Amino acid sequence: MTIAPARLRPLLAVLPLGVALLMATSACAGSDAAAPAQSAASVSAESAAAAAESAPAAPSEPAAAAPADPAVKEITVTIAGRKVTPPPGRIEVAEGQTVRITVTGDAADEAHLHGYDKEAELKPGVPASIEFVADQTGLFEMETHESGLQLFQLVVR
Amino acid sequence: MLLAHGVGGRQDLPIPFSAVLTGAALALLVSFVALGALWKQPRLDAALTAARSVPAALQTVVTAPAWRWIWRVAGLVAAAYFCIGLVFGPDRADNPTAGAFYVLFWVGLVPLSLLFGPVWRGLNPLRTLHLLACKGLGRDPELGLRPLPAGVGYWPACAGLFAFVWLELVAPERATLPVIGAWLAAYAVLMLAGAVVFGSRWFGHADPFEVYSDLVGRLAPAARRGDGVVVWRNSLDGMAGLRPAPGLTTLVVVLLGSTMYDSLSNAPVWVRFMQESAVPAPVTGTAGLLAVIAAVLAAYRAATALAGRWGAARPGTTAGQIAHSIVPIAVGYVVAHYYTLFLLEGQRTIALLSDPLDTGANWLGTAGWTIQALGTTPAGVATLQVTVIVIGHVLGTVLAHDRALALFPRRTAVLGQIPLLVLMVVYTVVGLLLLFAA
């Protein structure tokens, strides 16, 4: 089988170049350098006018991506009817960090963190807590079973 | 795609913004190269006249009647096993049905078709049931009660595809057995009824999974040519063989738009909007899905209309002729979006499939599987996502370029391509931005 007909070779030459560029880029933005790279990216994202959809993601990042991470990341959520305070957004934690989530709702429900599969029983007005070590990277949703509300997205880098 | 506790527990991290910029820059670079440095005469060989055939041994195996029957039976057996969990299993998080349907089947069709061509045509249990019934009754499966009307094209499959993506992305309680069962029952009835009326050709026009597998399968490295010979084929020639037909444009747009909506629906902005709105979630979800598909379609029609005007093509033909070049972009985006879901949830589902009745059994021997990461580090996944999106863009650009050379007269060929290349860059950049922000 001919690997690459002559007519397609110039084009196929671009591909390995592109992949190499990408590898170099992600190696620089790899997991060790992820936090400063992401803060730098969020600053450049706010100044880049073209990225209209990245603007909502940016405000939640400066609040969470503090350079000196505290030992335990505290997340507090209050539910009143269908209103979630703070409004659903992305909360960043570092891999290996301990996370404590406290949810207070006004109705009997169950809050569930996907991926980690942690659950908290909610009784009206009583704060419920979950504490765990964020040992898996990825994006995980926290939501309630009965009312089906998304509380926030936990981003573990 | 987050359905329930069972499916999609862990999702990918947003890609770094540097990856978006790199991908966008590459997309632009590719477009300029296509315009300036690529061939000046249409070169793609859709009829595969110059293709080399596969080794004789492989040719004999693949063209034997027994080969088709093996896969038909395999499809029936797999469907029957799937129905055990669907019909008799308890409706709990450990039921593998949702994972098997949305992940192993729907997402799995893509790599299977990319490797082996239009596989669902060979595996479709409904087609097999119709064939067996016809053989039993002594009828020709291709003949129905009446011929399929001429202008039907892909419209039924387009409607079916929309029905599926609506189920997958918007339907309330979509990971529960009653909802999946109801959808599959309606789908089976419509497909079989249509086959009875119009013959087995109905499946090729109306079955969304067959048509999806067929579109993606055009990128596969080997194909059965018109004269029955199996040949090696490069993806560009394969995709160029997709002829315009009624409904094709909308079908491809639904595919691309629905995957974009899937990304968008996970964005915190959209979640906030949906939750704080007084309108019930399925209504806002449907509206959002329709809006994204409509936006993709509007952009497509505007770009192709402009290209047709500037390129001095016959009016109204450009949209249908260029639709095939959007397929690689859509496929690249589907792969980027669902890759880790397929790897991780796929493993989980295969483990759960050993015990569809939730009795502690281990019928397939996979119940004890632990989920392996299989190289899904954040940096690796981000690289892969941007790479496949850029590859999709490259293929799409080359396909559009080649078709434009055939459609437009020489003096206007360059000008006519500009709106098409802009359209593709926009689709690719929007795809990258959605991976970054949503």
Side-chain angles (χ1 to χ4, degrees):
Chain A
M1 167 179 165
T2 321
I3 304 299
R7 63 194 189 196
L8 292 171
R9 268 179 217 143
L11 200 66
L12 292 175
V14 176
L15 270 173
L17 180 67
V19 174
L21 257 171
L22 280 166
M23 297 258 175
T25 316
S26 12
C28 297
S31 37
D32 314 305
Q38 193 58 25
S39 319
S42 68
V43 169
S44 61
E46 282 171 290
S47 58
E53 278 167 301
S54 67
S60 63
E61 287 175 57
D69 287 312
V72 177
K73 173 82 186 169
E74 296 265 2
I75 302 172
T76 317
V77 181
T78 322
I79 310 171
R82 282 191 69 81
K83 191 145 175 50
V84 178
T85 317
R90 294 199 170 147
I91 303 178
E92 297 231 354
V93 297
E95 189 184 359
Q97 196 171 9
T98 312
V99 181
R100 191 181 305 133
I101 304 171
T102 312
V103 184
T104 317
D106 62 348
D109 208 328
E110 201 176 69
H112 179 223
L113 179 67
H114 288 271
Y116 284 95
D117 279 333
K118 302 278 184 218
E119 294 188 347
E121 201 66 46
L122 295 177
K123 294 187 183 55
V126 178
S129 258
I130 308 171
E131 189 167 323
F132 61 97
V133 175
D135 54 358
Q136 284 179 67
T137 55
L139 192 147
F140 307 92
E141 284 192 18
M142 179 114 196
E143 60 165 19
T144 55
H145 283 185
E146 299 300 314
S147 46
L149 293 171
Q150 189 185 107
L151 303 181
F152 57 86
Q153 294 175 350
L154 188 70
V155 178
V156 183
R157 292 191 184 270
Chain B
M1 184 208 319
L2 185 66
L3 301 175
H5 326 115
V7 186
R10 175 208 161 278
Q11 297 167 71
D12 290 324
L13 288 170
I15 61 175
F17 195 66
S18 54
V20 176
L21 290 178
T22 314
L26 278 172
L28 274 171
L29 176 71
V30 161
S31 305
F32 282 115
V33 165
L35 214 44
L38 273 187
W39 52 84
K40 299 284 186 278
Q41 295 287 331
R43 291 275 200 111
L44 294 181
D45 180 19
L48 303 174
T49 46
R52 288 180 26 165
S53 55
V54 297
L58 189 56
Q59 174 83 14
T60 327
V61 168
V62 170
T63 45
W67 176 257
R68 287 189 201 251
W69 276 105
I70 289 172
W71 294 113
R72 284 176 187 145
V73 170
L76 266 183
V77 167
Y81 192 85
F82 171 79
C83 286
I84 298 176
L86 174 66
V87 176
F88 303 113
D91 194 3
R92 287 202 285 269
D94 282 345
N95 193 301
T97 303
F101 186 44
Y102 294 116
V103 179
L104 291 182
F105 172 58
W106 176 248
V107 179
L109 258 186
V110 175
L112 215 54
S113 306
L114 280 176
L115 287 174
F116 303 116
V119 288
W120 196 241
R121 211 186 297 155
L123 290 169
N124 192 352
L126 296 180
R127 203 187 254 267
T128 309
L129 285 175
H130 176 248
L131 180 65
L132 289 172
C134 287
K135 282 202 182 297
L137 294 170
R139 297 172 57 100
D140 183 354
E142 297 207 7
L143 291 176
L145 301 173
R146 50 189 27 211
L148 197 60
V152 149
Y154 291 112
W155 284 114
C158 184
L161 186 67
F162 182 77
F164 179 78
V165 298
W166 185 86
L167 172 75
E168 180 202 8
L169 300 172
V170 176
E173 310 287 327
R174 51 196 180 270
T176 57
L177 299 184
V179 174
I180 296 178
W183 195 95
L184 282 173
Y187 156 76
V189 165
L190 284 170
M191 290 301 112
L192 289 172
V196 166
V197 176
F198 297 115
S200 61
R201 293 187 61 216
W202 171 250
F203 290 111
H205 290 260
D207 190 316
F209 308 116
E210 273 203 30
V211 171
Y212 183 46
S213 175
D214 191 56
L215 283 186
V216 178
R218 292 194 166 272
L219 296 167
R224 197 182 300 262
R225 206 165 52 186
D227 58 2
V229 179
V230 179
V231 295
W232 294 117
R233 172 189 69 180
N234 97 45
S235 306
L236 293 171
D237 287 337
M239 204 68 233
L242 182 63
R243 299 252 61 90
L248 177 64
T249 305
T250 315
L251 179 77
V252 176
V253 164
V254 167
L255 191 58
L256 184 61
S258 63
T259 318
M260 287 187 170
Y261 174 73
D262 192 354
S263 274
L264 181 67
S265 62
N266 213 30
V269 201
W270 182 255
V271 172
R272 283 197 286 271
F273 169 66
M274 272 191 54
Q275 284 186 186
E276 289 168 13
S277 151
V279 183
V283 177
T284 38
T286 309
L289 179 62
L290 285 170
V292 174
I293 291 176
V296 174
L297 185 62
Y300 182 79
R301 296 196 80 101
T304 48
L306 202 57
R309 198 135 49 92
W310 289 1
R314 276 176 43 222
T317 54
T318 316
Q321 291 280 351
I322 299 292
H324 70 302
S325 57
I326 303 298
V327 175
I329 297 182
V331 171
Y333 196 50
V334 163
V335 172
H337 195 61
Y338 294 122
Y339 172 74
T340 37
L341 182 81
F342 185 61
L343 279 187
L344 300 178
E345 280 300 323
Q347 286 180 71
R348 211 177 100 85
T349 307
I350 295 177
L352 290 175
L353 272 173
S354 280
D355 188 18
L357 300 176
D358 206 9
T359 53
N362 192 353
W363 298 345
L364 300 175
T366 58
W369 274 17
T370 51
I371 314 296
Q372 308 291 329
L374 294 180
T376 51
T377 61
V381 171
T383 309
L384 178 123
Q385 288 178 326
V386 181
T387 306
V388 294
I389 286 188
V390 170
I391 290 178
H393 182 85
V394 168
L395 291 178
T397 305
V398 174
L399 286 164
H401 172 79
D402 192 81
R403 188 57 62 87
L405 291 173
L407 281 180
F408 306 147
R410 184 162 238 201
R411 55 183 177 82
T412 49
V414 170
L415 196 58
Q417 282 181 65
I418 292 172
L420 300 176
L421 297 180
V422 169
L423 177 74
M424 289 195 202
V425 170
V426 167
Y427 280 161
T428 299
V429 171
V430 168
L432 288 168
L433 282 174
L434 282 173
L435 283 179
F436 164 71

